[in-house]
Amino acid sequence: MPFVISTRTFFASGVGQMLLSTVLFALMNVCVKQLHRLPVLEIVLVRSVVSVGLSYWAVRRAGLPLAGPENRLLLISRGTTGALALVLYFSSLQHLPLAVAAMLQYLAPIFTALVGIWAVREPVRPAQWACFGLAFAGVVLAQTDTTVLPPNAWRWVLVGVTAALVSGVSYNTIRRLRGREHPLVIVFWLPLVALPFGLVGTVLHGVWPTPSEWGWLLLTGLFTQGAQVTMTRAYQAEELSKVAPLNYLGLLYAIALGVFFFHERLSSTLLAGVGLVLLGIGANLVVKARADKQAAVVPIG
């Protein structure tokens, strides 16, 4: 009984919620890759329908307004950029090995910092530029092994990098909404805006899913919603510096799940590239955390 209680307490904590979020996001990636026969916008549509329903229920249950009038443009911007990033990321997932697509998406924090120079006037320190260069060197290194990647993979690599860039823009919009809208409201607006895009694409180029594909589609929506809610709870329960690094465990999950579900080959060159990306992003987190801590110290006298 004490073990059960301690386990429940752990998973209710910010660290436990973030660990659960990374697992759910990794499982979502597997579902999307299983749906390679379906158009991406069709996947986005079903995912959005599930997420809109669950998010609307959560917002109403919490007694929250769907949006403050002064924040609607920002919420629409967050939804639009988030939907575009989602379409691009799902496209890269369908055409690249799982580990490679996930690695490219993990460049999003770097683009968040770069876009933040303009969007929220947040400076980038010299040491951070070195970290960014290390991460991008890892991406370049991973692409040099043509024995692992499909033909013309560079096109889908570019799509994946663009997805990370657009995600960076979207995350900066979220930062501008911090303290102005509840996280549940922000989560609600992404599928709300993505839904009509997915509907139009499905009407024009839809493919009727098989029974098994309906199952994967439903799981995609459920895993995504669960991942977003648990990640939001993690950021609310703990300091950013404690939970943000745990998010990068998802890349290790992607490697393991790619091998298990899709029998993907992993060369030493690809793994070295992934390692450089993790090293660069992790070092950036450490540099920024130390700089923020120093900035928070108020000199006496």
Side-chain angles (χ1 to χ4, degrees):
M1 181 63 70
F3 174 76
V4 174
I5 295 176
S6 62
T7 302
R8 289 177 179 174
T9 302
F10 171 76
F11 280 106
S13 68
V15 171
Q17 288 288 294
M18 181 56 80
L19 289 174
L20 182 57
S21 175
T22 58
V23 172
L24 291 173
F25 271 126
L27 292 174
M28 180 210 73
N29 290 339
V30 171
C31 294
V32 173
K33 200 159 181 62
Q34 293 280 10
L35 295 166
H36 57 85
R37 192 182 72 91
L38 300 184
V40 167
L41 285 173
E42 188 170 335
I43 302 172
V44 169
L45 172 63
V46 178
R47 173 202 180 278
S48 298
V49 169
V50 174
S51 293
V52 163
L54 293 175
S55 296
Y56 181 81
W57 173 79
V59 168
R60 286 308 188 194
R61 186 185 180 197
L64 299 168
L66 294 179
E70 68 280 3
N71 296 327
R72 283 179 183 166
L73 286 178
L74 280 176
L75 287 166
I76 292 173
S77 174
R78 151 60 181 163
T80 303
T81 53
L84 178 57
L86 196 65
V87 170
L88 293 170
Y89 177 51
F90 282 3
S91 298
S92 67
L93 266 176
Q94 289 188 334
H95 292 88
L96 292 172
L98 186 56
V100 175
M103 175 187 67
L104 297 174
Q105 185 59 23
Y106 276 101
L107 294 175
I110 292 178
F111 286 118
T112 301
L114 294 175
V115 174
I117 299 174
W118 168 78
V120 293
R121 301 293 190 270
E122 186 173 288
V124 173
R125 295 161 183 86
Q128 288 181 271
W129 288 107
C131 298
F132 297 166
L134 191 63
F136 279 108
V139 172
V140 173
L141 177 62
Q143 310 319 309
T144 59
D145 192 343
T146 56
T147 62
V148 175
L149 298 174
N152 297 319
W154 65 269
R155 298 177 182 177
W156 298 109
V157 169
L158 183 59
V159 169
V161 171
T162 305
L165 171 59
V166 179
S167 294
V169 175
S170 189
Y171 293 154
N172 272 282
T173 306
I174 295 176
R175 291 164 71 182
R176 292 181 64 184
L177 286 164
R178 185 183 302 165
R180 301 166 66 175
E181 290 289 353
H182 193 279
L184 286 175
V185 174
I186 299 174
V187 169
F188 168 74
W189 275 78
L190 171 56
L192 181 67
V193 175
L195 197 152
F197 291 103
L199 181 60
V200 171
T202 301
V203 169
L204 295 176
H205 305 289
V207 175
W208 190 256
T210 64
S212 63
E213 287 171 338
W214 275 116
W216 288 115
L217 283 167
L218 179 60
L219 286 174
T220 299
L222 293 175
F223 285 145
T224 302
Q225 185 69 13
Q228 289 182 332
V229 171
T230 50
M231 183 174 65
T232 299
R233 289 175 179 170
Y235 285 134
Q236 287 178 322
E238 295 282 356
E239 294 178 9
L240 184 65
S241 60
K242 291 182 179 180
V243 295
L246 298 175
N247 191 35
Y248 297 100
L249 289 173
L251 189 50
L252 303 181
Y253 299 154
I255 293 173
L257 291 172
V259 172
F260 182 78
F261 280 98
F262 307 107
H263 309 291
E264 294 176 351
R265 294 173 53 242
L266 298 174
S267 66
S268 57
T269 302
L270 175 61
L271 291 175
V274 170
L276 285 178
V277 171
L278 284 175
L279 182 60
I281 295 173
N284 174 59
L285 286 173
V286 172
V287 170
K288 192 173 187 311
R290 288 179 177 176
D292 291 344
K293 187 175 181 180
Q294 292 174 354
V297 176
V298 179
I300 301 176

